[in-house]
Amino acid sequence: MACKAASRWLLLLFWCAHLLLRLCSSEIDRSQFPPSFLFGTSTSAYQIEGGYLEGKKGLSNWDVYTHKQGTIEDGSNGDIAADHYHRYMVQLRMEAMVILLLITTIVIWFLDPIILGYAQASNRSMSANDFTGDMGRIDYMSGYLEFLASAIRKGADVRGYFVWSLLDDFEWTSGFTDRFGLYHVDFKTLKRTPKLSAEWYRKFLQGSLLTREFQNGSQPQKYTS
């Protein structure tokens, strides 16, 4: 009896916590940014491309470095990565689903960007189902955009936001142990699967008013354009 009573109290506690989070929310949409503000996704070529030595390609610094024993956490390299070299048409169809104006910018920056992203820890035993419900990434992106919109209104000269990254990729010395993508990549089959964050970003770019639930108990804020 005591165990059942404790279970009921625990369920009630979870329900109350969920209701409180619903009430403590903020909203974000595309109209809170200037019309000229540029949205997209970002990727670095080596991290997704693959095509090792194809098309008369020479060796890059990373080709050499990743083939040295002990340099990459999981012993992997970018020889195939997400195989964008052979699958770019698949990616173009994916990008049409996300409906970005500038879909993917291969990172060749002429200004110094701030590069931040939301990582999901990964290992070889995990599947797409472990990653596609990425509510943590949605909370991260929406919170970042809320504060970015506020900073712009206060005079910050910020002209674009590019999500890192469109695809799960080869994350430098971390190899494939971190996933930053809006799309999950199965690095065995190379199948792409959209995460919830891809749909969230698509709706945001369409101008839908989106709600972010606060996890820290802070007060809700509603921004206006």
Side-chain angles (χ1 to χ4, degrees), residues 172-211:
W172 308 121
T173 56
S174 297
F176 298 112
T177 62
D178 288 324
R179 293 177 178 268
F180 285 87
L182 299 179
Y183 280 77
H184 174 271
V185 177
D186 184 324
F187 290 107
K188 295 177 182 177
T189 66
L190 298 172
K191 178 182 178 181
R192 280 83 158 129
T193 304
K195 301 178 186 178
L196 288 180
S197 56
E199 176 66 10
W200 184 92
Y201 198 35
R202 182 183 69 83
K203 289 182 177 179
F204 169 80
L205 293 171
Q206 285 179 317
S208 300
L209 188 64
L210 301 172
T211 299

Short mmCIF file of all heavy atoms in Angstrom, two decimals, residues 172-211:
data_model
loop_
_atom_site.label_atom_id
_atom_site.label_comp_id
_atom_site.label_asym_id
_atom_site.label_seq_id
_atom_site.Cartn_x
_atom_site.Cartn_y
_atom_site.Cartn_z
N TRP A 172 35.88 16.21 -35.83
CA TRP A 172 37.31 16.42 -35.59
C TRP A 172 37.89 15.37 -34.65
O TRP A 172 37.70 14.19 -34.87
CB TRP A 172 37.54 17.85 -35.09
CG TRP A 172 36.93 18.90 -35.97
CD1 TRP A 172 36.01 19.84 -35.64
CD2 TRP A 172 37.19 19.11 -37.39
NE1 TRP A 172 35.68 20.62 -36.73
CE2 TRP A 172 36.39 20.19 -37.81
CE3 TRP A 172 38.01 18.48 -38.33
CZ2 TRP A 172 36.39 20.68 -39.11
CZ3 TRP A 172 38.01 18.96 -39.64
CH2 TRP A 172 37.20 20.05 -40.01
N THR A 173 38.59 15.74 -33.59
CA THR A 173 39.25 14.74 -32.75
C THR A 173 38.26 13.90 -31.95
O THR A 173 38.63 12.87 -31.39
CB THR A 173 40.24 15.41 -31.77
OG1 THR A 173 39.55 16.39 -30.99
CG2 THR A 173 41.38 16.06 -32.54
N SER A 174 36.99 14.32 -31.89
CA SER A 174 35.96 13.52 -31.22
C SER A 174 35.42 12.42 -32.12
O SER A 174 34.67 11.56 -31.66
CB SER A 174 34.80 14.41 -30.75
OG SER A 174 35.23 15.34 -29.79
N GLY A 175 35.76 12.45 -33.40
CA GLY A 175 35.27 11.44 -34.33
C GLY A 175 33.76 11.47 -34.44
O GLY A 175 33.16 12.53 -34.67
N PHE A 176 33.13 10.32 -34.24
CA PHE A 176 31.67 10.22 -34.33
C PHE A 176 31.03 10.07 -32.95
O PHE A 176 29.92 9.55 -32.83
CB PHE A 176 31.27 9.04 -35.22
CG PHE A 176 31.75 9.19 -36.65
CD1 PHE A 176 32.73 8.35 -37.16
CD2 PHE A 176 31.23 10.18 -37.47
CE1 PHE A 176 33.18 8.48 -38.47
CE2 PHE A 176 31.67 10.33 -38.77
CZ PHE A 176 32.65 9.48 -39.27
N THR A 177 31.71 10.55 -31.91
CA THR A 177 31.17 10.41 -30.55
C THR A 177 30.25 11.56 -30.15
O THR A 177 29.62 11.50 -29.10
CB THR A 177 32.32 10.32 -29.53
OG1 THR A 177 33.08 11.53 -29.56
CG2 THR A 177 33.23 9.13 -29.83
N ASP A 178 30.17 12.61 -30.97
CA ASP A 178 29.25 13.73 -30.73
C ASP A 178 28.41 13.97 -31.98
O ASP A 178 28.92 13.91 -33.10
CB ASP A 178 30.02 15.02 -30.41
CG ASP A 178 30.64 14.99 -29.03
OD1 ASP A 178 30.03 14.42 -28.12
OD2 ASP A 178 31.75 15.54 -28.86
N ARG A 179 27.13 14.26 -31.78
CA ARG A 179 26.22 14.53 -32.90
C ARG A 179 25.62 15.91 -32.73
O ARG A 179 24.97 16.21 -31.73
CB ARG A 179 25.12 13.46 -32.96
CG ARG A 179 25.65 12.07 -33.33
CD ARG A 179 24.54 11.03 -33.31
NE ARG A 179 25.03 9.72 -33.71
CZ ARG A 179 25.01 9.25 -34.96
NH1 ARG A 179 24.51 10.01 -35.93
NH2 ARG A 179 25.47 8.05 -35.25
N PHE A 180 25.80 16.75 -33.75
CA PHE A 180 25.31 18.12 -33.73
C PHE A 180 24.20 18.36 -34.75
O PHE A 180 23.68 19.46 -34.84
CB PHE A 180 26.46 19.09 -34.04
CG PHE A 180 27.42 19.28 -32.90
CD1 PHE A 180 28.50 18.43 -32.73
CD2 PHE A 180 27.27 20.33 -32.01
CE1 PHE A 180 29.39 18.60 -31.69
CE2 PHE A 180 28.16 20.52 -30.96
CZ PHE A 180 29.23 19.65 -30.80
N GLY A 181 23.83 17.38 -35.57
CA GLY A 181 22.99 17.61 -36.72
C GLY A 181 21.51 17.77 -36.46
O GLY A 181 20.97 17.22 -35.50
N LEU A 182 20.84 18.52 -37.36
CA LEU A 182 19.38 18.52 -37.41
C LEU A 182 18.89 17.20 -37.99
O LEU A 182 17.74 16.81 -37.78
CB LEU A 182 18.89 19.67 -38.29
CG LEU A 182 19.24 21.10 -37.85
CD1 LEU A 182 18.67 22.10 -38.86
CD2 LEU A 182 18.75 21.39 -36.46
N TYR A 183 19.76 16.55 -38.75
CA TYR A 183 19.45 15.23 -39.32
C TYR A 183 20.41 14.20 -38.76
O TYR A 183 21.62 14.41 -38.73
CB TYR A 183 19.59 15.25 -40.85
CG TYR A 183 18.39 15.84 -41.56
CD1 TYR A 183 18.19 17.22 -41.59
CD2 TYR A 183 17.45 15.04 -42.19
CE1 TYR A 183 17.10 17.77 -42.22
CE2 TYR A 183 16.35 15.58 -42.83
CZ TYR A 183 16.19 16.95 -42.84
OH TYR A 183 15.10 17.49 -43.47
N HIS A 184 19.84 13.07 -38.30
CA HIS A 184 20.66 11.95 -37.86
C HIS A 184 21.24 11.23 -39.07
O HIS A 184 20.57 11.05 -40.08
CB HIS A 184 19.80 10.97 -37.06
CG HIS A 184 20.51 9.71 -36.68
ND1 HIS A 184 20.52 8.59 -37.49
CD2 HIS A 184 21.25 9.40 -35.59
CE1 HIS A 184 21.21 7.64 -36.91
NE2 HIS A 184 21.68 8.10 -35.76
N VAL A 185 22.50 10.87 -38.98
CA VAL A 185 23.15 10.07 -40.01
C VAL A 185 23.55 8.73 -39.40
O VAL A 185 24.26 8.69 -38.38
CB VAL A 185 24.39 10.77 -40.59
CG1 VAL A 185 25.08 9.86 -41.61
CG2 VAL A 185 24.00 12.09 -41.24
N ASP A 186 23.07 7.64 -39.99
CA ASP A 186 23.53 6.31 -39.62
C ASP A 186 24.84 6.10 -40.37
O ASP A 186 24.84 5.94 -41.59
CB ASP A 186 22.50 5.26 -40.02
CG ASP A 186 22.89 3.85 -39.58
OD1 ASP A 186 24.09 3.53 -39.60
OD2 ASP A 186 21.99 3.07 -39.24
N PHE A 187 25.96 6.10 -39.68
CA PHE A 187 27.25 6.06 -40.36
C PHE A 187 27.60 4.67 -40.88
O PHE A 187 28.63 4.51 -41.53
CB PHE A 187 28.34 6.59 -39.43
CG PHE A 187 28.23 8.07 -39.19
CD1 PHE A 187 27.79 8.56 -37.98
CD2 PHE A 187 28.51 8.97 -40.21
CE1 PHE A 187 27.66 9.92 -37.76
CE2 PHE A 187 28.38 10.34 -40.01
CZ PHE A 187 27.95 10.82 -38.78
N LYS A 188 26.70 3.67 -40.64
CA LYS A 188 26.87 2.36 -41.27
C LYS A 188 26.15 2.31 -42.61
O LYS A 188 26.69 1.86 -43.61
CB LYS A 188 26.34 1.26 -40.34
CG LYS A 188 27.12 1.12 -39.04
CD LYS A 188 26.49 0.06 -38.15
CE LYS A 188 27.25 -0.06 -36.83
NZ LYS A 188 26.61 -1.04 -35.90
N THR A 189 24.90 2.78 -42.62
CA THR A 189 24.10 2.75 -43.86
C THR A 189 24.09 4.10 -44.58
O THR A 189 23.69 4.19 -45.73
CB THR A 189 22.65 2.36 -43.54
OG1 THR A 189 22.05 3.41 -42.74
CG2 THR A 189 22.59 1.05 -42.76
N LEU A 190 24.47 5.17 -43.85
CA LEU A 190 24.48 6.56 -44.33
C LEU A 190 23.07 7.11 -44.55
O LEU A 190 22.91 8.14 -45.20
CB LEU A 190 25.32 6.69 -45.60
CG LEU A 190 26.79 6.32 -45.39
CD1 LEU A 190 27.53 6.28 -46.72
CD2 LEU A 190 27.47 7.30 -44.44
N LYS A 191 22.07 6.45 -43.99
CA LYS A 191 20.69 6.94 -44.07
C LYS A 191 20.55 8.21 -43.24
O LYS A 191 21.06 8.31 -42.13
CB LYS A 191 19.72 5.88 -43.55
CG LYS A 191 18.26 6.33 -43.57
CD LYS A 191 17.35 5.25 -43.00
CE LYS A 191 15.89 5.73 -42.97
NZ LYS A 191 15.00 4.70 -42.39
N ARG A 192 19.83 9.19 -43.79
CA ARG A 192 19.52 10.44 -43.09
C ARG A 192 18.10 10.38 -42.52
O ARG A 192 17.16 10.02 -43.22
CB ARG A 192 19.60 11.63 -44.03
CG ARG A 192 21.02 12.13 -44.30
CD ARG A 192 21.73 11.36 -45.36
NE ARG A 192 22.80 12.15 -45.94
CZ ARG A 192 24.05 11.73 -46.08
NH1 ARG A 192 24.39 10.51 -45.70
NH2 ARG A 192 24.97 12.51 -46.63
N THR A 193 17.95 10.78 -41.26
CA THR A 193 16.64 10.80 -40.60
C THR A 193 16.46 12.15 -39.92
O THR A 193 17.31 12.55 -39.11
CB THR A 193 16.52 9.69 -39.55
OG1 THR A 193 16.78 8.42 -40.16
CG2 THR A 193 15.12 9.68 -38.94
N PRO A 194 15.39 12.89 -40.23
CA PRO A 194 15.20 14.20 -39.58
C PRO A 194 14.92 14.04 -38.10
O PRO A 194 14.19 13.15 -37.67
CB PRO A 194 13.99 14.78 -40.32
CG PRO A 194 13.26 13.60 -40.88
CD PRO A 194 14.31 12.57 -41.19
N LYS A 195 15.54 14.92 -37.32
CA LYS A 195 15.25 14.99 -35.90
C LYS A 195 14.12 16.00 -35.68
O LYS A 195 13.76 16.75 -36.59
CB LYS A 195 16.50 15.42 -35.13
CG LYS A 195 17.68 14.48 -35.32
CD LYS A 195 18.92 14.98 -34.58
CE LYS A 195 20.14 14.14 -34.87
NZ LYS A 195 21.36 14.63 -34.20
N LEU A 196 13.56 16.03 -34.49
CA LEU A 196 12.50 17.00 -34.19
C LEU A 196 12.99 18.43 -34.40
O LEU A 196 12.21 19.30 -34.79
CB LEU A 196 12.04 16.83 -32.74
CG LEU A 196 11.21 15.58 -32.42
CD1 LEU A 196 10.85 15.57 -30.94
CD2 LEU A 196 9.95 15.54 -33.27
N SER A 197 14.27 18.67 -34.18
CA SER A 197 14.81 20.02 -34.34
C SER A 197 14.75 20.48 -35.79
O SER A 197 14.61 21.69 -36.05
CB SER A 197 16.26 20.07 -33.85
OG SER A 197 17.06 19.11 -34.50
N ALA A 198 14.83 19.57 -36.76
CA ALA A 198 14.70 19.95 -38.17
C ALA A 198 13.30 20.47 -38.46
O ALA A 198 13.13 21.49 -39.14
CB ALA A 198 15.00 18.75 -39.08
N GLU A 199 12.29 19.82 -37.90
CA GLU A 199 10.91 20.28 -38.08
C GLU A 199 10.68 21.59 -37.34
O GLU A 199 10.00 22.49 -37.84
CB GLU A 199 9.95 19.21 -37.56
CG GLU A 199 8.47 19.58 -37.58
CD GLU A 199 7.92 19.77 -38.99
OE1 GLU A 199 8.62 19.44 -39.97
OE2 GLU A 199 6.78 20.25 -39.11
N TRP A 200 11.27 21.71 -36.15
CA TRP A 200 11.14 22.96 -35.39
C TRP A 200 11.72 24.12 -36.18
O TRP A 200 11.11 25.20 -36.29
CB TRP A 200 11.86 22.84 -34.05
CG TRP A 200 11.69 24.04 -33.16
CD1 TRP A 200 10.72 24.23 -32.21
CD2 TRP A 200 12.50 25.24 -33.17
NE1 TRP A 200 10.88 25.47 -31.63
CE2 TRP A 200 11.96 26.10 -32.18
CE3 TRP A 200 13.60 25.65 -33.90
CZ2 TRP A 200 12.50 27.36 -31.92
CZ3 TRP A 200 14.15 26.91 -33.64
CH2 TRP A 200 13.60 27.75 -32.66
N TYR A 201 12.90 23.95 -36.75
CA TYR A 201 13.55 25.02 -37.51
C TYR A 201 12.77 25.35 -38.77
O TYR A 201 12.64 26.52 -39.14
CB TYR A 201 14.97 24.57 -37.85
CG TYR A 201 15.92 25.69 -38.23
CD1 TYR A 201 15.85 26.94 -37.64
CD2 TYR A 201 16.92 25.47 -39.18
CE1 TYR A 201 16.73 27.96 -37.99
CE2 TYR A 201 17.81 26.47 -39.53
CZ TYR A 201 17.71 27.71 -38.94
OH TYR A 201 18.58 28.71 -39.29
N ARG A 202 12.21 24.35 -39.41
CA ARG A 202 11.39 24.58 -40.59
C ARG A 202 10.19 25.46 -40.25
O ARG A 202 9.89 26.44 -40.94
CB ARG A 202 10.91 23.25 -41.18
CG ARG A 202 10.08 23.40 -42.46
CD ARG A 202 9.58 22.05 -42.95
NE ARG A 202 8.57 21.52 -42.06
CZ ARG A 202 7.27 21.86 -42.11
NH1 ARG A 202 6.85 22.76 -42.99
NH2 ARG A 202 6.41 21.33 -41.28
N LYS A 203 9.51 25.13 -39.17
CA LYS A 203 8.34 25.92 -38.76
C LYS A 203 8.75 27.33 -38.35
O LYS A 203 8.04 28.30 -38.65
CB LYS A 203 7.62 25.22 -37.60
CG LYS A 203 6.88 23.96 -38.02
CD LYS A 203 6.14 23.35 -36.84
CE LYS A 203 5.34 22.13 -37.28
NZ LYS A 203 4.65 21.51 -36.13
N PHE A 204 9.88 27.45 -37.69
CA PHE A 204 10.37 28.77 -37.32
C PHE A 204 10.60 29.63 -38.56
O PHE A 204 10.20 30.79 -38.61
CB PHE A 204 11.67 28.64 -36.52
CG PHE A 204 12.38 29.94 -36.31
CD1 PHE A 204 11.97 30.82 -35.32
CD2 PHE A 204 13.46 30.29 -37.11
CE1 PHE A 204 12.62 32.03 -35.13
CE2 PHE A 204 14.11 31.50 -36.93
CZ PHE A 204 13.69 32.37 -35.94
N LEU A 205 11.22 29.07 -39.58
CA LEU A 205 11.52 29.82 -40.79
C LEU A 205 10.26 30.15 -41.59
O LEU A 205 10.24 31.10 -42.36
CB LEU A 205 12.52 29.05 -41.66
CG LEU A 205 13.92 28.92 -41.05
CD1 LEU A 205 14.77 27.96 -41.86
CD2 LEU A 205 14.59 30.27 -40.94
N GLN A 206 9.21 29.35 -41.41
CA GLN A 206 7.94 29.63 -42.06
C GLN A 206 7.19 30.77 -41.37
O GLN A 206 6.21 31.28 -41.90
CB GLN A 206 7.05 28.39 -42.06
CG GLN A 206 7.46 27.34 -43.08
CD GLN A 206 6.54 26.15 -43.01
OE1 GLN A 206 6.19 25.68 -41.93
NE2 GLN A 206 6.14 25.64 -44.16
N GLY A 207 7.65 31.14 -40.17
CA GLY A 207 7.01 32.24 -39.46
C GLY A 207 6.04 31.80 -38.40
O GLY A 207 5.31 32.61 -37.84
N SER A 208 6.04 30.47 -38.07
CA SER A 208 5.15 29.99 -37.02
C SER A 208 5.61 30.50 -35.66
O SER A 208 6.82 30.60 -35.40
CB SER A 208 5.12 28.46 -37.00
OG SER A 208 4.66 27.96 -38.23
N LEU A 209 4.66 30.85 -34.79
CA LEU A 209 4.98 31.26 -33.43
C LEU A 209 5.26 30.01 -32.62
O LEU A 209 4.42 29.13 -32.50
CB LEU A 209 3.83 32.04 -32.81
CG LEU A 209 4.10 32.70 -31.46
CD1 LEU A 209 5.17 33.78 -31.59
CD2 LEU A 209 2.82 33.31 -30.89
N LEU A 210 6.46 29.90 -32.08
CA LEU A 210 6.88 28.69 -31.39
C LEU A 210 7.09 28.97 -29.92
O LEU A 210 7.56 30.04 -29.52
CB LEU A 210 8.17 28.15 -32.01
CG LEU A 210 8.05 27.80 -33.50
CD1 LEU A 210 9.42 27.46 -34.06
CD2 LEU A 210 7.11 26.63 -33.69
N THR A 211 6.78 28.00 -29.11
CA THR A 211 6.88 28.14 -27.67
C THR A 211 8.03 27.31 -27.14
O THR A 211 8.21 26.17 -27.51
CB THR A 211 5.58 27.68 -26.98
OG1 THR A 211 4.51 28.51 -27.43
CG2 THR A 211 5.69 27.78 -25.47
#
